[in-house]
Amino acid sequence: MKQSLLLAFVLISCSVIAQPSITSTSFNSYFDAGTFYLGSSSTIGIGAAGANQTWNFSSLVLTSDGNYSGVAVASAPFSNQFVNANFFVKNTDVGFDDVYDIFTINSAKLDNLGSTTDSGTSLIYTNPRTVYVFPFNYTNSFTDTYQILGESLINTRITYDGYGTLITAFGTFPNVVRIKTEEGDSVFYTWAIPNPYREIASASIGDNGETYFSIKNNPNLDSGFNQTGNKFTIAPNPFTTDFNVNFSNDLQGNFSVDVYDLLGNAVIRNQKMEVSSINLSFPEVASGIYLVTLSDDQKKVIATQKLIKK
């Protein structure tokens, strides 16, 4: 069962993104629904920490791992067994029992108390697990010790180590935070939109050096948060030999276009955009799916769209 425990897990200019912050109000309208996709790569890593980063995972080969939803609800079964519980998230994953994550939230922090199902409790933290302290800003870090009933104490460190733009096969998302979680020998990363809180991706590095990704396709994010997806259009799409890239009238500055296959190989690189519409041709490439990226003069990718060759 893939539980969305919130554990693993605005403004944009052409070159600088304001530092986003996670606060208690980030969870006021928590809702998350869509499809999980899994992928791995020995060449695509987690990327760098720091300010105004671009993390590009758009060339990952992904496999659907099922639909999910997580929605804040007024109450949860058996929640009276958890002292101070006041925030509940119902998680639905097709083929599994519904799971309710039980939290307590206030202006200072978000604590996970455990989880229940319709038939009883499934997880109890005798020492609650702190998910976030508020406000949680860039470079902030905290340590926590939590304990699952009947098990040993577990030490963890949570660090807000970067923010910027995240690119997946499903869109370009500005104003994204990256959270690093260290727990024993394990390290994993979460990318999320902070306000309102929405997780987009997570990743960890295996013992074999492979990076394992979980990417979410949330239709609500595509329509409500993909602030750069309408910056250009492609026609025809699918195409046979050539296609046109047309730019939005509100784009100002110097831009370039790159086209990649799903293995991350460049098919067209650094095609300068000096007019509002250009024609690109590459009839010799194989049929399949390609990714078109739009970059500003600082080489920052600001939009990505899918392109299909017949």
Side-chain angles (χ1 to χ4, degrees):
M1 172 72 183
K2 300 182 294 296
Q3 298 183 24
S4 178
L5 296 177
L6 308 179
L7 297 172
F9 330 106
V10 24
L11 297 175
I12 180 171
S13 68
C14 286
S15 60
V16 179
I17 298 174
Q19 293 185 13
S21 178
I22 300 175
T23 68
S24 60
T25 60
S26 299
F27 299 89
N28 283 354
S29 57
Y30 183 80
F31 175 80
D32 196 11
T35 304
F36 271 114
Y37 289 83
L38 301 179
S40 64
S41 177
S42 59
T43 58
I44 302 172
I46 58 158
N52 294 304
Q53 295 295 321
T54 296
W55 301 285
N56 192 341
F57 304 147
S58 58
S59 60
L60 283 170
V61 178
L62 300 173
T63 302
S64 173
D65 197 40
N67 297 322
Y68 71 94
S69 69
V71 58
V73 292
S75 62
F78 303 98
S79 61
N80 58 353
Q81 298 184 32
F82 300 88
V83 178
N84 299 323
N86 61 4
F87 180 51
F88 315 97
V89 175
K90 180 181 180 181
N91 300 292
T92 300
D93 192 359
V94 176
F96 298 90
D97 293 336
D98 290 342
V99 173
Y100 297 81
D101 293 333
I102 313 298
F103 300 90
T104 179
I105 189 170
N106 55 43
S107 60
K109 63 179 180 175
L110 173 68
D111 280 346
N112 184 216
L113 305 178
S115 59
T116 68
T117 66
D118 289 324
S119 58
T121 58
S122 59
L123 179 68
I124 296 176
Y125 290 109
T126 52
N127 187 11
R129 180 170 190 164
T130 299
V131 182
Y132 288 121
V133 295
F134 304 131
F136 201 43
N137 298 314
Y138 174 50
T139 73
N140 285 175
S141 181
F142 67 91
T143 58
D144 181 49
T145 300
Y146 69 93
Q147 186 172 25
I148 300 171
L149 181 64
E151 299 185 12
S152 302
L153 288 169
I154 300 172
N155 297 311
T156 186
R157 174 180 290 274
I158 312 295
T159 304
Y160 177 166
D161 79 345
Y163 67 89
T165 300
L166 176 67
I167 305 169
T168 75
F170 308 111
T172 299
F173 306 96
N175 217 49
V176 167
V177 304
R178 190 176 82 169
I179 306 301
K180 178 182 180 182
T181 300
E182 301 168 271
E183 192 170 287
D185 294 331
S186 299
V187 180
F188 57 91
Y189 297 82
T190 301
W191 289 261
I193 293 172
N195 292 300
Y197 189 87
R198 303 287 188 271
E199 295 171 4
I200 306 174
S202 60
S204 61
I205 302 173
D207 293 338
N208 59 357
E210 192 93 349
T211 304
Y212 296 89
F213 294 89
S214 175
I215 308 292
K216 290 182 176 181
N217 181 19
N218 184 328
N220 295 296
L221 291 183
D222 287 345
S223 59
F225 294 98
N226 189 353
Q227 300 175 25
T228 59
N230 61 352
K231 295 300 183 185
F232 71 97
T233 60
I234 301 172
N237 190 13
F239 77 101
T240 303
T241 59
D242 63 296
F243 58 92
N244 293 314
V245 179
N246 305 297
F247 292 89
S248 169
N249 291 331
D250 64 349
L251 277 177
Q252 301 293 327
N254 300 315
F255 299 92
S256 61
V257 166
D258 298 275
V259 180
Y260 300 90
D261 64 21
L262 291 182
L263 295 178
N265 301 310
V267 179
I268 294 178
R269 183 180 291 279
N270 200 30
Q271 176 68 51
K272 299 298 183 183
M273 308 305 302
E274 298 177 349
V275 293
S276 61
S277 179
I278 64 167
N279 180 268
L280 299 176
S281 175
F282 52 109
E284 70 281 0
V285 301
S287 298
I289 297 175
Y290 296 82
L291 297 166
V292 181
T293 64
L294 177 66
S295 302
D296 63 17
D297 56 4
Q298 303 298 314
K299 306 300 183 184
K300 182 177 291 297
V301 176
I302 64 170
T304 302
Q305 290 201 41
K306 188 178 297 183
L307 175 68
I308 300 175
K309 169 71 182 298
K310 291 182 180 179

